[in-house]
Amino acid sequence: MKFEKEILCIGAGYVGGPTMAMIAYKCTQYRVNVVDILPEKIDQWNSDDLPIYEPGLDEIVQQARGRNLFFSKDIGAGIKAADIIFVSVNTPTKTYGVGAGMAADLKYWEKTARQILDCAESPKIIVEKSTLPVKTAQAMERILNSGKNGVEFEVLSNPEFLAEGTAIADLKNPDRVLIGSQQTEGGLKARDDLVEIYANWVATDKIVTSNIWSSELSKLVANAFLAQRISSINAISSLCEETEADVGEVARAVGMDTRIGPKFLNASVGFGGSCFKKDILNLVYLCRHYGLKEEADYWEGVVRINEHQKERFVLNMLTAMFNTLAGKKICLFGFAFKANTGDTRETPALTVASRLVAENAQVVINDPKALENARQDTQDLQGDIEFIEDPYEAAEGCHAIALMTEWELYRTLDYKKIFDSMQQPAFIFDGRNIVDHDTLFEIGFNVFPIGKPKKVHF
Ligand code: NAD
Ligand code: UGA
């Protein structure tokens, strides 16, 4: 069968895999090919055991794979055949040299650009799907247009706004699709080609176009604003704990103002995930680069509060448990950075686990989808750490439970049974405010929520 377009995606990760699966699922007229530098990841995408857990993903992959969705290891052949190339490689924080700990590391992205340049024999549209510092497209265009073979490239910015755990729903029904292009004839033509793809299932009024630099910057700003809301409410959570106000009640009252809105006001042990911290630090770095010190300090504060919130959680545990955690067994309910994903990148649970181990506590980790990642993440921690799949077994004999991830499962456990199997006095530190604190207190737990009065029996 002849397809209308050949689409390639370089990078088969949390964004590349689900996004391409959705395009292939919705648009049978296009052939979608996904490649990755890791051959084992491609094998997983071709198996029944996909490399990532995302509700609804298995179903759409099963429908499209082999029909018009393919996962392959031959990156060069994929580049040659493609009309449009999405680049969805990772852009972590740089760990070396200038900008270490702040700037985005563009080595994966640049490697991809050079590979495209080496292999391409016909004109291509290159789509920045990865989150990148503003002005990256310019660097890409310079690399791509440095070739002597005369192939023409148009670079577009099309940042992804999906959240893990709801990726499929977000891709099916996005708040907006943003496409930035150069305002040249070629740039606008490429933009229209990309709009045409999304218009297969996204209403045209939700497909927003802009200049390319606005698009690149909007992605960083969107994440900074979301994270800022969490740090704002978390900063209020400590004040609530001091004053006996209830952060849930405050968030509800504040969020009912339609100018503020109710979402992203859940106080927590802190935000995690691969992007918020790195994207804010990237924004901070950009501000500093342009000499905007006050602005840089302002945004850096969002990350500082988040680090403080995680530390505060551990210090609360220490204080509550009579100023020593040494030899005490503490069960972490959840290790993923949020519910409905197995992803543990930048998870607050890792910070808490490492601090508990540093206090010579014994740590037991339970999570329905992230135990394997937890095992890998904690490899370098010197201490007593166990991984137990059954939450009842995990909590047995423990002095405390720390609720780290808002998995639905943890709302519905039999906490009386758990309490009876624990060391007394038993403690629960609810880092997500998801369990019924009154009921737990009645059962006998000493309960420490975030931003709400503690409930203790002594
Ligand atoms: P990821 O690490 O899950 O996936 C990236 C993939 O790219 C990896 O499988 C890696 O092996 C592959 N890769 C790296 N260099 C390559 C190369 N030269 N050739 C081929 N493959 C290569 O990362 P992710 O979470 O999918 O994020 C990708 C980008 O999307 C990042 O810039 C991120 O900021 C952005 N983003 C992520 C999310 C999210 O929820 N995870 C949401 C929106 C945007
Ligand atoms: C976030 C954004 O929501 C996406 O729009 C964006 O595309 C993505 O980053 C990205 O660029 O990677 P994600 O990190 O997957 O998505 O998940 P979120 O739902 O944003 O949660 C991030 C963290 O904040 C989690 O640890 C979550 O538990 C925490 N959170 C969220 C809170 O503590 N309180 C809240 O009210 C909301």
Side-chain angles (χ1 to χ4, degrees), residues 282-396:
N282 192 345
L283 190 65
V284 170
Y285 186 74
L286 279 168
C287 290
R288 294 236 160 91
H289 171 80
Y290 289 105
L292 307 172
K293 184 188 171 306
E294 296 301 323
E295 292 79 351
D297 290 350
Y298 174 76
W299 286 109
E300 200 170 14
V302 173
V303 175
R304 263 201 314 273
I305 287 287
N306 199 49
E307 298 305 318
H308 170 70
Q309 186 76 346
K310 290 184 275 184
E311 181 60 18
R312 210 170 68 75
F313 186 78
V314 175
L315 290 182
N316 272 349
M317 290 177 84
L318 183 66
T319 315
M321 295 175 75
F322 320 115
N323 293 312
T324 175
L325 298 173
K328 288 182 179 155
K329 207 171 168 189
I330 297 172
C331 177
L332 302 190
F333 271 180
F335 201 82
F337 81 95
K338 65 184 281 197
N340 298 319
T341 177
D343 193 354
T344 58
R345 291 177 291 178
E346 293 291 339
T347 180
L350 179 59
T351 313
V352 170
S354 75
R355 289 287 287 103
L356 292 178
V357 164
E359 292 292 336
N360 288 336
Q362 293 170 258
V363 176
V364 184
I365 299 175
N366 172 264
D367 190 289
K369 294 285 177 194
L371 267 199
E372 197 37 54
N373 280 340
R375 221 172 247 126
Q376 285 174 19
D377 295 347
T378 52
Q379 252 168 14
D380 294 339
L381 297 185
Q382 308 290 329
D384 187 343
I385 306 182
E386 281 180 273
F387 306 86
I388 300 186
E389 267 177 42
D390 179 76
Y392 294 101
E393 209 186 305
E396 200 176 316

Side-chain angles (χ1 to χ4, degrees), residues 10-16 36-38 41 75 88-91 108 111-112 129-131 160 162 164 219 274-275 278 345:
I10 302 180
Y14 286 90
V15 169
D36 201 282
I37 209 163
L38 300 176
K41 201 171 245 188
I75 302 180
S88 186
V89 299
N90 34 330
T91 50
Y108 303 101
K111 190 170 176 208
T112 314
K129 207 27 144 174
S130 304
T131 303
E160 184 48 60
L162 68 79
E164 288 176 34
K219 173 64 199 177
S274 61
C275 293
K278 97 170 157 61
R345 291 177 291 178

Side-chain angles (χ1 to χ4, degrees), residues 241-253:
E241 284 164 33
E242 296 297 331
T243 57
E244 293 181 38
D246 178 322
V247 77
E249 292 176 355
V250 173
R252 190 180 59 173

Side-chain angles (χ1 to χ4, degrees), residues 34-52:
V34 190
V35 293
D36 201 282
I37 209 163
L38 300 176
E40 61 276 16
K41 201 171 245 188
I42 294 300
D43 288 336
Q44 278 180 292
W45 278 109
N46 281 321
S47 75
D48 288 337
D49 188 16
L50 301 184
I52 60 175

Side-chain angles (χ1 to χ4, degrees), residues 161-162 164 219 223 264 266 268 271-272 275 337-338 432:
F161 295 102
L162 68 79
E164 288 176 34
K219 173 64 199 177
N223 274 356
F264 266 66
N266 293 320
S268 67
F271 61 74
C275 293
F337 81 95
K338 65 184 281 197
R432 298 291 182 167

Side-chain angles (χ1 to χ4, degrees), residues 28-87:
T28 49
Q29 70 275 35
Y30 308 143
R31 185 179 193 280
V32 181
N33 185 18
V34 190
V35 293
D36 201 282
I37 209 163
L38 300 176
E40 61 276 16
K41 201 171 245 188
I42 294 300
D43 288 336
Q44 278 180 292
W45 278 109
N46 281 321
S47 75
D48 288 337
D49 188 16
L50 301 184
I52 60 175
Y53 170 71
E54 198 54 67
L57 177 64
D58 284 20
E59 290 79 352
I60 65 164
V61 168
Q62 263 162 26
Q63 286 211 29
R65 197 174 53 193
R67 178 189 71 188
N68 65 330
L69 174 65
F70 301 90
F71 295 92
S72 91
K73 296 174 190 172
D74 192 341
I75 302 180
I79 292 172
K80 279 194 181 70
D83 303 307
I84 298 191
I85 302 178
F86 288 83
V87 181

